[in-house]
Amino acid sequence: MQNQQTMDKPGKFYITTPIYYVNARPHIGHTYTTVVCDAVARRQRMMGYDTWFLTGTDEHGQKIERSATAAGCSPKEFADRVSGEFRQLWDRMKLSYDDFIRTTEPRHVRGVQALFKRLEERGYIYKGSYSGQYCVYDELYVDVTEPGAPCPECGRPTETVHEENYFFKLSAMEAPLLKLYTENPEFIRPETRRNEVISFVRGGLRDLSVSRTTFTWGIPVPGDEKHVIYVWLDALANYITAIGYGSEDAKDKAKLARYWPADVHMIGKEIVRFHCIYWPAFLLAAEIPLPKSIIAHGWLLFEESKMSKSRGNIVRSETILDTLGADTLRYFLLREIVFGSDGSFSFDALVQRFNADLANGLGNLSSRTLSMITRYFDGEIPYPSPGARDASDDAVAQLAQQTIADFHAQFEQFQFSRALETAWALVAAVNKYIVEHEPWALAEKEDQDSRARLATILHTSAEALRVVTALVHPVIPESTARIWEQLGLGDIAKLDLRNLAWGQLPLHTKLGKVEAVFPRADKSTIERMQQIEQDRAAQSVPAAVAEANAASKPVQPAPTAAIAPAATIPAESNTITIDDFAKVDLRVGQVKVAEKVKGADKLLRLEVDLGTETRQIVAGIAKAYEPEKLVGRKVVIVANLAPRKLRGLESQGMIVAASIGDDGVPVLAGFLEDVPVGAKLK
Ligand code: MSP
């Protein structure tokens, strides 16, 4: 990270997240990137940098247009809704972004058009025609020839397009890009991604089509409005339009001059090519300075599988916020995932981390130290008398000094997990120090020496607690702010991290109100989180169908994990073609077995005969139907829904029901006439 200040722009730090597509609601994958950036931005501010942290939403393109149609609203209404959800979530998590850009905002539209014109004026844009395959999901022209062939990036079927387009002379950028990568090893990090990019560019670059005429939901090409600008050119430009590019206003110009170039573009590994090839190519062509570094992190998996709608294993941040709080999620994401590599999320691991590190580790250190000071010293941090020190106190002091140095160095290298490990090694050492010295036993003794020793131990512990709290504040801001106040140190926002050192506890510090910061979690917390996810899934079924219609399906959906599907965009009215409808395989089935699912009061496990096979279906209808009364009943089943696991049981289809009233009471679909098992609905 930077402690590299440039001569002309001292002390600024500009960090960005990718702007998130609005065709899917925010989940913990998006939260991961945003939280990483938030922690970095918070720390840079505490280190005295004039920091600008940008996030936002990417709202144009065919994918969004189709999702909006499927949800029965205009693309703008659709984008407003989902963009609002991202913003609300970030606000609920108190993320410290300075600006939230939406690509539908006039300031962005104006800036993108200005960039397009600039590229045109500089001779990098020409009109040509494109004929080939396009992946709507990735918004990418792909190098496959067969109509409908799978996209090499995501496996979804590609679409054939023949159009007249504007092209960007990407091929002319091959040599300048290779020079850039070679001369600036820090430009792409980590090294593995840099190598991938270099070998891709060495393989040759073809000119890039940067406009489309087959849909309208985008930014018009200036002067030729039947074309809209390619969504990645539109999206990438957000990093400059948000800070004033394209504006004639003096304030905007000053802001652009102040913050550009960005210090860090933080991205997920799947969008490296767009950021490390296209973006610098556009900037080089437009003669705009390049960002200092593009940092790609790995993927957050759910119990080892990629999170995706088709697998039904998307985890929402809200579930964790409602149970263990934002700091727990932040700590988990930065501690558990080795930055740069893929990492795994599970509710079990989350609760384990919470208990081990937050409740038993930092929480215990804080509550035992502060409550003993309250009890034995009337709430005023005691000062040690020099004669009462021994080697163990000095060892804590030394370890704390080392911790400060190591933590800074590791955090600046984006080694968040190691930095937190370093901080928690101090927490563990001080907890051990307390246990070994038994201050509670010393407190029972009346003599002067014991009293002086007790003062020294509690002072040392409080000082170590202060150091750790300050260091990890950017990672767990809420709980550390509370500990800081309890330590009697006031508002942690005023802390300057550059000066943090051992031995700065002011004399006669009076503690604030002492209370537990991290209550313990147990199995019921995991169950609560699973129940929240399940309830959300049960509410989202009609919308899930709408969304499935909107995007092309993955080629190989693989059901694996135990979390219910994502809540998707509510569909009020929905227009689909007959071909879309034909994709849903609705069949008559007969319930053979019905029973309650242990530990899930809303679920029934059914075995349903479809004529050719028997399917296990887990349905959220237990509150409305006695299992015994269902046996023998004919029901309607969605037979080609990707299987998903609920409470460890694989559900191999979905039972169709009307949803009645505000509570969504399910009423099963059925027939007045007798219908044979296996009959298809069409
Ligand atoms: N709109 C583009 C980005 C344009 S930037 C100019 C896009 N949007 S996205 O909604 O698909 O978000 C992708 C980003 O979200 C990833 O690069 C990553 O930062 C984050 N993540 C989404 N899912 C993720 C995981 N499962 N794990 C980690 N991060 C992931 O691509």
Side-chain angles (χ1 to χ4, degrees):
M1 217 168 309
Q2 343 314 263
N3 293 314
Q4 36 170 273
Q5 304 181 358
T6 53
M7 296 295 282
D8 51 338
K9 294 177 180 174
K12 72 89 190 170
F13 182 79
Y14 177 30
I15 183 166
T16 65
T17 70
I19 47 170
Y20 303 110
Y21 284 131
V22 291
N23 68 318
R25 285 180 170 162
H27 58 67
I28 57 166
H30 307 115
T31 303
Y32 177 56
T33 316
T34 321
V35 158
V36 167
C37 290
D38 183 69
V40 172
R42 281 175 184 272
R43 183 174 169 282
Q44 290 298 93
R45 288 189 199 105
M46 290 173 81
M47 297 295 284
Y49 282 83
D50 168 11
T51 301
W52 197 256
F53 167 23
L54 174 71
T55 189
T57 43
D58 188 353
E59 306 183 8
H60 290 130
Q62 198 166 14
K63 185 163 58 176
I64 315 271
E65 192 178 71
R66 288 185 184 175
S67 292
T69 308
C73 59
S74 74
K76 182 63 170 53
E77 282 166 345
F78 185 83
D80 286 348
R81 206 185 309 161
V82 186
S83 177
E85 285 191 34
F86 272 96
R87 201 169 175 145
Q88 272 160 24
L89 176 62
W90 303 155
D91 289 344
R92 197 176 157 206
M93 293 188 72
K94 300 202 176 68
L95 298 184
S96 65
Y97 62 87
D98 294 290
D99 196 359
F100 187 104
I101 178 99
R102 298 185 54 188
T103 55
T104 46
E105 284 177 72
R107 61 172 171 160
H108 177 73
V109 173
R110 179 186 60 203
V112 170
Q113 291 184 326
L115 178 62
F116 194 94
K117 273 200 251 169
R118 170 116 182 122
L119 294 171
E120 221 169 10
E121 280 157 15
R122 295 200 23 86
Y124 282 92
I125 301 274
Y126 65 92
K127 219 171 191 177
S129 65
Y130 178 83
S131 199
Q133 297 306 116
Y134 188 76
C135 173
V136 175
Y137 183 83
D138 288 325
E139 301 284 9
L140 194 66
Y141 295 91
V142 291
D143 210 0
V144 292
T145 44
E146 282 294 298
C151 163
E153 296 293 316
C154 69
R156 290 169 173 82
T158 52
E159 295 182 15
T160 309
V161 292
H162 304 284
E163 19 170 8
E164 186 188 57
N165 287 145
Y166 285 94
F167 281 81
F168 171 72
K169 288 186 186 164
L170 186 62
S171 56
M173 287 301 164
E174 224 173 279
L177 284 172
L178 287 170
K179 185 165 177 277
L180 164 73
Y181 308 141
T182 323
E183 289 176 0
N184 301 278
E186 295 281 287
F187 183 68
I188 305 171
R189 284 190 278 170
E191 184 75 19
T192 44
R193 304 287 163 223
R194 177 168 173 263
N195 295 339
E196 279 165 24
V197 170
I198 291 176
S199 72
F200 187 89
V201 175
R202 281 205 182 118
L205 294 176
R206 283 200 276 160
D207 289 351
L208 181 71
S209 160
V210 287
S211 76
R212 301 291 310 273
T213 52
T214 48
F215 62 92
T216 54
W217 182 236
I219 299 178
V221 166
D224 193 354
E225 311 236 321
K226 76 175 198 300
H227 290 258
V228 292
I229 295 174
Y230 175 47
V231 59
W232 272 100
L233 174 54
D234 166 345
L236 288 160
N238 91 88
Y239 301 132
I240 52 176
T241 62
I243 52 168
Y245 181 84
S247 167
E248 288 308 316
D249 183 275
K251 267 216 246 102
D252 291 338
K253 285 181 172 211
K255 194 172 185 182
L256 185 68
R258 173 74 183 146
Y259 291 110
W260 191 256
D263 295 83
V264 172
H265 287 320
M266 184 75 72
I267 58 169
K269 65 182 183 184
E270 81 293 356
I271 52 176
V272 162
R273 190 191 315 170
F274 304 101
H275 281 80
C276 301
I277 301 175
Y278 297 176
W279 183 225
F282 297 146
L283 292 171
L284 284 168
E287 284 190 315
I288 297 171
L290 298 171
K292 291 185 192 155
S293 61
I294 298 165
I295 301 181
H297 62 67
W299 273 74
L300 186 57
L301 309 173
F302 181 79
E303 292 176 350
E304 312 301 329
S305 314
K306 191 169 170 187
M307 282 193 283
S308 73
K309 281 182 213 134
S310 59
R311 290 174 195 204
N313 64 354
I314 289 177
V315 179
R316 305 275 152 197
S317 307
E318 290 87 335
T319 305
I320 299 148
L321 303 187
D322 290 344
T323 46
L324 291 168
D327 276 4
T328 307
L329 178 57
R330 294 171 67 101
Y331 178 76
F332 180 89
L333 293 174
L334 271 86
R335 172 65 184 85
E336 191 82 11
I337 294 147
V338 175
F339 187 77
S341 313
D342 289 349
S344 193
F345 176 88
S346 77
F347 290 121
D348 283 3
L350 178 76
V351 167
Q352 249 178 49
R353 271 275 167 228
F354 174 78
N355 280 334
D357 296 6
L358 297 179
N360 293 343
L362 182 61
N364 201 10
L365 173 63
S366 165
S367 66
R368 65 183 3 168
T369 304
L370 301 180
S371 59
M372 281 192 281
I373 293 173
T374 307
R375 208 168 324 135
Y376 306 141
F377 292 94
D378 220 7
E380 187 175 303
I381 299 179
Y383 219 71
S385 36
R389 296 188 68 81
D390 72 20
S392 65
D393 314 319
D394 295 338
V396 171
Q398 260 167 30
L399 179 64
Q401 286 286 24
Q402 192 58 49
T403 302
I404 296 171
D406 292 349
F407 185 93
H408 280 318
Q410 290 157 347
F411 205 99
E412 295 199 345
Q413 285 306 310
F414 298 92
Q415 297 172 351
F416 308 114
S417 181
R418 276 190 69 194
L420 291 172
E421 217 177 315
T422 300
W424 259 260
L426 177 62
V427 169
V430 183
N431 270 330
K432 187 159 170 261
Y433 161 87
I434 294 174
V435 170
E436 280 172 4
H437 288 84
E438 299 188 329
W440 43 88
L442 286 170
E444 310 249 295
K445 301 186 184 158
E446 309 266 298
D447 63 294
Q448 279 275 312
D449 285 354
S450 301
R451 188 81 189 150
R453 204 54 213 123
L454 179 64
T456 306
I457 293 163
L458 291 183
H459 180 275
T460 307
S461 309
E463 178 59 343
L465 176 64
R466 185 186 68 88
V467 166
V468 170
T469 305
L471 284 177
V472 303
H473 178 59
V475 178
I476 46 171
E478 273 183 77
S479 31
T480 45
R482 287 176 62 200
I483 296 175
W484 201 253
E485 262 183 50
Q486 295 187 27
L487 265 167
L489 299 170
D491 184 1
I492 198 166
K494 299 200 177 112
L495 174 71
D496 186 339
L497 210 50
R498 285 171 293 190
N499 301 328
L500 183 70
W502 182 263
Q504 294 167 329
L505 246 181
L507 271 177
H508 307 301
T509 305
K510 193 95 186 111
L511 299 188
K513 188 163 173 270
V514 175
E515 52 195 9
V517 177
F518 306 107
R520 268 188 72 86
D522 56 23
K523 219 168 150 246
S524 72
T525 321
I526 302 179
E527 283 166 5
R528 227 164 61 234
M529 290 191 281
Q530 284 169 337
Q531 186 69 50
I532 296 174
E533 288 284 337
Q534 226 171 66
D535 290 350
R536 193 170 282 134
Q539 284 161 14
S540 72
V541 169
V545 175
E547 191 162 328
N549 289 335
S552 10
K553 269 186 158 180
V555 173
Q556 295 171 311
T560 38
I563 289 293
T568 49
I569 318 307
E572 284 118 25
S573 73
N574 194 2
T575 309
I576 58 170
T577 65
I578 189 72
D579 291 344
D580 289 331
F581 176 69
K583 287 183 196 155
V584 186
D585 184 7
L586 292 168
R587 278 195 265 160
V588 177
Q590 187 168 36
V591 179
K592 294 291 176 193
V593 176
E595 60 190 24
K596 294 201 157 157
V597 174
K598 230 175 118 204
D601 54 358
K602 293 197 174 155
L603 295 181
L604 290 186
R605 187 187 80 84
L606 310 174
E607 285 176 27
V608 181
D609 178 13
L610 290 187
T612 47
E613 61 182 311
T614 300
R615 295 275 185 94
Q616 169 170 279
I617 291 178
V618 183
I621 54 171
K623 294 227 158 134
Y625 290 92
E626 297 290 326
E628 313 76 60
K629 297 205 176 130
L630 285 175
V631 176
R633 181 166 175 161
K634 289 193 176 149
V635 289
V636 177
I637 300 297
V638 182
N640 61 343
L641 200 65
R644 67 178 198 223
K645 273 194 179 169
L646 289 165
R647 286 293 162 118
L649 296 170
E650 186 172 83
S651 186
Q652 302 155 334
M654 188 183 89
I655 193 158
V656 176
S659 173
I660 306 299
D662 290 345
D663 298 338
V665 175
V667 177
L668 292 178
F671 301 92
L672 292 174
E673 291 81 6
D674 196 23
V675 282
V677 169
K680 208 169 155 35
L681 280 78
K682 40 186 188 171

